[in-house]
Amino acid sequence: MRRALELAAGRVGSTGVNPAVGCVLLDADGTTLATGVHRGPGTPHAEADALRQARGRSRGATAVVTLEPCDHQGRTGPCSRALIEAGVRRVLYAVPDPNRVAAGGARRLAEAGIDVVGGVLREEAEAVLEMWLTAVRTGRPFVTWKFATTLDGRSAAADGSSRWISSAESRADAHALRARHDAILVGSGTWRADNPRLDLRHGVVGQPPLRVALDARGELPPDSRLLDGDIPTLVVTEPGTGLTGVDEENVLRLKTDARGRFPPLGLLEALGTRGVRSVLVEGGPALASAFVTAGLTDRVVAYVAPLLLGSEGVSAVGELGVGSIGEAHRLRITAVDRIGSDLRVELRPAAWTRGTQ
C-alpha cells in the first residue's frame, strides 16, 4: 500500500477533477506483478493501468489500491468490473470513495466472490488524497494559504519591497507547491504591487495552475502579465463591470459584500463548478484574513526567514477581529523543515476554533 501511495503522491496536482490513485498488483507469493497510476481525465484509472501492465497475468492476483475501485461508467469503464473480469482474487483499498456516483465498487467486488479489505493505511492515504477528498466531501476546493514572512511577521518592508524575503530554496519549494494545485489566487493589491506572472519557475515542471485574479472594479490593465495568454487566467469581477482585453469566457462575475470584498465561500463554490479541486492563496494580508476569518483555510504553508523589519513593515495577515488572546485563531504545527536559510512551517487549523487551548 505504501508503494501505491507513493505512486499516487507523485500525481497529485496533475489529474484534474479526478483523484490521484495508485495501484499495485501482487501474485500469490506477494511478488509485484505490475503497478498502475491514474494520470488524468480520459486516461486509464490506476487499476486498469496496472492490469494492462500485467499483460494477462492477473488471475488469482491481489490488487492494492489507494481508493475504493470505482463502479461507474465515465470516460473509462468501471474498475470494479475490470478487476472481476481479470480474475483478481483479493482487493485491498485504503479510502472508501465519497463520490456517490462512483462508489459501490467494494460491494460489487464482494458480491462477485472477491475478498475485499478496506481501510488499509487509511490515515496515510487520506493525507495523499486530502485535496480531492475535501472537494468531494465539502463541495468546495481545498485551500492552502502560502506566504513568506520575516521572523517578526512581516511580508514586506515599509516601502512595500518584498524581494526577496525568502531564500532561493524556499522560492523553488513554493513553485513546487504551486504545481500541486489546480488554481492560484491573488487579490488586486498583489497584482497592482507586483504584476506577477504566477507561472512555474525554479526548475519546477508540470501544468501551471489556473491563475485567478480578483478585480472588483475592472481595473486589471490589458498589459498585465496575468493576461499574457500563455497560462489560463480567470478574472473575478462584479456583474456589469467592463474588462479590457479579457474574453467573457475567462470572467467570473460575483457580487461583493458591503466592504467591497468577494465572499470566500461563494468564490470557492464558483471555482468548484469549473472543476477546480484545490486553490493556493498567494494574495496579500487582506485576502489571507478573509479566508482565515471565514474558516476556509485547510492548510497553511509559511516560509519564515531570519529577518527583522520592525513595526513599519507590512503584516503578513490583515485584520482578524481578535481583541484578546482568548479570541486567537489557533493552529497546530504538522511539519517543520529547514530549507535554505529559512524554516518551512506547515500548519493545519485547530478547527479554526477561537479560544481553544
Side-chain angles (χ1 to χ4, degrees), residues 227-251:
L227 301 179
D228 57 16
D230 293 340
I231 305 170
T233 297
L234 182 68
V235 180
V236 184
T237 192
E238 282 262 24
T241 300
L243 288 167
T244 303
V246 184
D247 294 335
E248 191 61 30
E249 65 182 12
N250 298 320
V251 177

Side-chain angles (χ1 to χ4, degrees), residues 93-113:
Y93 67 91
V95 181
D97 195 329
N99 187 338
R100 288 178 293 179
V101 174
R107 183 182 65 253
R108 184 177 295 276
L109 291 167
E111 290 173 349

Side-chain angles (χ1 to χ4, degrees), residues 7-15 20 128-129 131 179-181:
L7 293 167
R11 301 303 302 178
V12 170
S14 65
T15 56
V128 172
L129 285 165
M131 291 194 283
R180 294 194 292 274
H181 287 75

Side-chain angles (χ1 to χ4, degrees), residues 142-326:
F142 180 95
V143 176
T144 301
W145 168 33
K146 186 275 294 184
F147 65 98
T149 180
T150 62
L151 189 61
D152 53 351
R154 305 297 164 177
S155 61
D159 63 358
S161 60
S162 60
R163 297 185 180 180
W164 293 104
I165 283 178
S166 59
S167 65
E169 293 86 349
S170 289
R171 296 195 296 275
D173 186 81
H175 279 248
L177 187 65
R178 282 182 180 179
R180 294 194 292 274
H181 287 75
D182 293 340
I184 180 171
L185 175 65
V186 295
S188 58
T190 296
W191 56 252
R192 281 194 182 96
D194 301 336
N195 190 22
R197 191 161 186 269
L198 304 183
D199 56 359
L200 299 181
R201 301 188 304 278
H202 301 284
V204 176
V205 297
Q207 179 66 38
L210 171 71
R211 301 176 296 191
V212 181
L214 303 185
D215 181 18
R217 301 177 182 176
E219 297 173 339
L220 186 67
D223 60 352
S224 168
R225 297 173 70 188
L226 292 175
L227 301 179
D228 57 16
D230 293 340
I231 305 170
T233 297
L234 182 68
V235 180
V236 184
T237 192
E238 282 262 24
T241 300
L243 288 167
T244 303
V246 184
D247 294 335
E248 191 61 30
E249 65 182 12
N250 298 320
V251 177
L252 172 60
R253 297 189 179 275
L254 291 176
K255 290 185 178 181
T256 56
D257 60 20
R259 295 186 295 175
R261 297 179 178 178
F262 295 105
L265 181 57
L267 173 60
L268 291 177
E269 290 175 340
L271 291 175
T273 63
R274 291 174 175 253
V276 173
R277 294 291 181 264
S278 57
V279 174
L280 181 64
V281 175
E282 282 201 15
L287 187 61
S289 65
F291 276 84
V292 170
T293 55
L296 292 171
T297 306
D298 301 295
R299 173 176 58 180
V300 179
V301 178
Y303 299 92
V304 183
L307 303 175
L308 297 172
L309 289 177
S311 60
E312 297 83 5
V314 179
S315 175
V317 63
E319 174 59 46
L320 295 178
V322 174
S324 67
I325 195 67

Side-chain angles (χ1 to χ4, degrees), residues 2-50:
R2 287 199 170 90
R3 175 57 181 146
L5 288 171
E6 288 176 1
L7 293 167
R11 301 303 302 178
V12 170
S14 65
T15 56
V17 298
N18 294 347
V21 178
C23 176
V24 176
L25 285 179
L26 305 172
D27 66 13
D29 296 326
T31 302
T32 298
L33 288 172
T35 62
V37 66
H38 180 54
R39 295 174 173 81
T43 67
H45 288 187
E47 299 94 319
D49 187 37

